[in-house]
Amino acid sequence: MPVPVPRQRAIPAVESGQAPAASTGGPSGDSGTGAPRKEDTAQNSSDNTATTNHTNLTLLLIEDDPGGSPIVPDLLDQAGKPIRVRTARNLTEAERLLTDDVHCILLDLALPAPGRAGEADDDELAVLRHVLELAPRHAVLALTGSGDAERGAEAVRVGAQDYLFREELDGRLLGRAIQYAVERKRSETAERRLAEGRLRAQENRRLERGLLPTPLLEGSSLRFAARYQPGRSRALLGGDFYDVVRTPDGTVHAMIGDVCGHGPDEAALGVELRIAWRALTLAGLCGDQLLNTLQQVLEHERSDDEIFATLCTVDIAPDGRRAGLCLAGHPAPLIARPGRAPRLLPYDNNGPALGLLPGARWPRMQVELGAEWSLMLYTDGLIEGRVGDGGERLGQDGMVEMISRQLASGLTGEELLGAAVNEVRELNGGELTDDVAVLLLDRVP
C-alpha cells in the first residue's frame, strides 16, 4: 500500500542505506536519505534517544512499497536540520538497517507480521509488537488509515509513541511527529531509569538494614558502637556484615564478616549468614560447631562455588574478663586497655575462610581481656586503603598506630570509630573502594 512519506526519488542503494545520495541543496550536501555519513552519525551509541540538539535525526520507514510513494519536500526538524530517511520493505531488512544512529521508526501497520505472509493474523498489531521487541530503545510512530483510529490508539497503548493517518500525512506534520516521538521516548526512558534507580535504592536500603542489625544486648553492662561505610565508588553494596547478641546465660557474642565481592548477591548472602549466625548463637552453638554450620549455609546459598566469606566471632564470658575467639580467614580484633598500648589479639590459629575447604576446622582460642577494655572488630576495608601516592596500604600495624593515637586524644565509642574511618579515607586520598564495617565493645567497671 503506498505511503506518502517525504523522500527523494527511489534509488535502491540509497533506500537500503548502502550508499549516499546526491543532495537537493548542492553538490556537497547530504540528501537526507540512505546511509548517513560518519560525521552525521549520532554520537551516543548506547542510547538512541539521546539529545538531538546537535545530531541530525534519522528515520527508518518500514513499509512494503517505498517506491510507490509520491515525492514530497525534505523533512526538517525544529532546528531546521534535515531528517535523514531510510526505508525497509520488510522486518528482515529493517533489522539490518536498525543501526545505533536511527532515532525513530515509522511503521506501516498494514505490513504483514514475520512468518505470516499471505495468512490472516488474529493479532492486528503483531508487526508492531515485533518491532517494539526488536527496537526497545527507539521511538516508534504507527501509520494507519484514517478510518482505523481505534487501531492507531491501540498501537499507542501497546507501546508506540504516536500514530498518524496515511491520508493526512505531509512533510510538516511528519517532521513534527518525529521530533515529538523522539522527545517522548527520551522522557519515558528517563522516567523508567529513575523508577529503576529508586527501586534499586529501596532494595539496597533493605539489604543494608539486614547487614546492620539492632544488637540484642539487653541486660549487659557492655557499651556498643558500630560504623558502616559502603564503598560507594562503584555504587554497589558489599558483603560486610556484623551482629551482637546476649544469650540467657549472660554471655555476649559478637561477630563480623565479609563476603568476597560487591553487589546485591553478595550483600544478600551476607544478610543470610548474619541471620543464620544469630539463630545458631541463640540456639546455643558457638566456636567450631557454629562455623561449620555456617559454612554449610554458605555452600548451599552462594551463587558460585568460588564465593567465600571471612568471619570473626567472639564470645565474652558473663564476668567480662575473658573471651573465646574464632577466626575464619579474618583479621584479628584489636584490644585496648588503660595504661597499655593497643594490640591485636592472637591469630596463630586462624582457620580458613568459610567456603574454601570442605571439612575445615576453626579452633576456639581463649583470651584474657581484663577488668577494663575496648575490643574492636573490623573488616579488611579498614586496613586495605592506600596511604599517600606510593601505593602502600595502611595494614594492621598502621591501623594499630592510628587507633592508639586517637585513643590518646580522648576519643571513645562512636567518635573513635568515626575518626578512624574518616582518617583512613583521607589517607586513601578519596573514597575507599571496599566497604568498611567496624564495631566496638567497651567494658568500663
Side-chain angles (χ1 to χ4, degrees):
M1 183 179 297
V3 182
V5 297
R7 64 168 55 80
Q8 301 297 321
R9 63 186 180 83
I11 303 175
V14 174
E15 293 176 348
S16 64
Q18 301 302 305
S23 169
T24 58
S28 61
D30 188 348
S31 69
T33 63
R37 296 178 303 175
K38 180 178 180 180
E39 59 268 30
D40 294 328
T41 302
Q43 297 300 310
N44 188 350
S45 63
S46 63
D47 187 352
N48 291 293
T49 58
T51 178
T52 58
N53 292 336
H54 306 291
T55 306
N56 288 42
L57 291 174
T58 299
L59 173 72
L60 175 61
L61 167 66
I62 308 176
E63 56 104 359
D64 58 0
D65 188 16
S69 301
I71 298 174
V72 296
D74 287 342
L75 289 173
L76 300 177
D77 63 18
Q78 291 181 346
K81 293 183 178 182
I83 297 176
R84 295 187 291 263
V85 179
R86 298 178 185 175
T87 58
R89 296 171 176 81
N90 52 56
L91 295 184
T92 301
E93 190 173 323
E95 185 173 2
R96 179 172 56 83
L97 296 177
L98 193 60
T99 53
D100 287 329
D101 60 322
V102 173
H103 299 87
C104 185
I105 297 171
L106 179 61
L107 173 67
D108 184 2
L109 294 181
L111 195 71
R116 300 285 185 173
E119 299 180 15
D121 196 322
D122 293 337
D123 185 0
E124 294 182 341
L125 297 177
V127 65
L128 172 61
R129 297 181 198 278
H130 185 83
V131 168
L132 292 174
E133 182 178 348
L134 185 68
R137 298 178 301 169
H138 293 74
V140 177
L141 289 171
L143 197 62
T144 188
S146 57
D148 204 1
E150 184 176 344
R151 188 181 187 188
E154 180 63 21
V156 174
R157 284 192 289 271
V158 167
Q161 273 59 59
D162 202 352
Y163 69 93
L164 301 170
F165 292 135
R166 193 176 291 109
E167 297 82 1
E168 299 177 3
L169 200 63
D170 59 32
R172 184 177 180 183
L173 173 63
L174 181 56
R176 206 164 49 235
I178 293 170
Q179 189 79 29
Y180 167 77
V182 170
E183 294 301 326
R184 182 175 178 182
K185 186 64 178 181
R186 286 181 60 201
S187 176
E188 292 173 355
T189 301
E191 289 179 3
R192 186 185 71 251
R193 289 177 176 171
L194 180 60
E196 291 172 351
R198 287 173 176 167
L199 181 60
R200 278 195 301 271
Q202 292 173 359
E203 292 173 346
N204 287 352
R205 283 194 294 270
R206 285 196 292 271
L207 285 171
E208 287 182 356
R209 284 196 297 271
L211 291 167
L212 314 177
T214 302
L216 299 179
L217 282 174
E218 185 177 357
S220 173
S221 61
L222 299 184
R223 296 186 305 190
F224 168 84
R227 184 69 177 258
Y228 178 70
Q229 179 69 48
R232 291 303 189 193
S233 61
R234 285 171 294 198
L236 292 175
L237 280 172
D240 290 12
F241 55 98
Y242 64 81
D243 204 352
V244 179
V245 299
R246 180 177 183 267
T247 49
D249 64 356
T251 302
V252 172
H253 302 260
M255 172 272 291
I256 195 165
D258 184 3
V259 177
C260 70
H262 300 268
D265 290 340
E266 288 76 10
L269 182 56
V271 173
E272 290 180 276
L273 292 175
R274 185 199 66 74
I275 294 173
W277 177 87
R278 175 175 282 200
L280 293 170
T281 299
L282 293 175
L285 275 67
C286 69
D288 183 75
Q289 187 180 13
L290 185 148
L291 291 175
N292 185 272
T293 307
L294 282 180
Q295 173 157 280
Q296 295 180 46
V297 173
L298 182 145
E299 290 172 346
H300 285 291
E301 297 297 331
R302 62 186 175 184
S303 58
D304 189 284
D305 289 343
E306 296 184 357
I307 292 179
F308 62 89
T310 65
L311 200 70
C312 169
T313 67
V314 176
D315 54 279
I316 302 169
D319 63 7
R321 290 178 172 272
R322 62 190 184 281
L325 171 65
C326 284
L327 297 174
H330 201 87
L334 177 147
I335 186 169
R337 289 174 282 203
R340 302 169 65 175
R343 66 177 181 86
L344 299 176
L345 290 180
Y347 50 88
D348 297 338
N349 290 329
N350 194 342
L354 302 181
L356 291 183
L357 298 175
R361 303 299 299 271
W362 295 271
R364 177 178 177 273
M365 297 172 282
Q366 188 76 20
V367 295
E368 295 296 327
L369 302 177
E372 185 176 350
W373 46 263
S374 295
L375 189 65
M376 189 178 83
L377 284 64
Y378 53 93
T379 57
D380 58 8
L382 187 68
I383 59 177
E384 291 190 347
R386 304 290 180 177
V387 180
D389 299 328
E392 181 183 355
R393 297 186 185 275
L394 177 64
Q396 288 180 291
D397 291 340
M399 179 202 66
V400 172
E401 188 278 329
M402 176 185 69
I403 297 297
S404 178
R405 177 167 29 83
Q406 292 170 345
L407 286 170
S409 68
L411 295 178
T412 60
E414 293 281 359
E415 291 183 352
L416 173 64
L417 299 187
V421 173
N422 289 337
E423 182 169 339
V424 168
R425 189 166 55 239
E426 290 173 4
L427 291 172
N428 190 62
E431 291 295 330
L432 299 165
T433 58
D434 199 3
D435 299 326
V436 176
V438 194
L439 69 86
L440 186 68
L441 290 170
D442 294 313
R443 182 176 190 267
V444 180

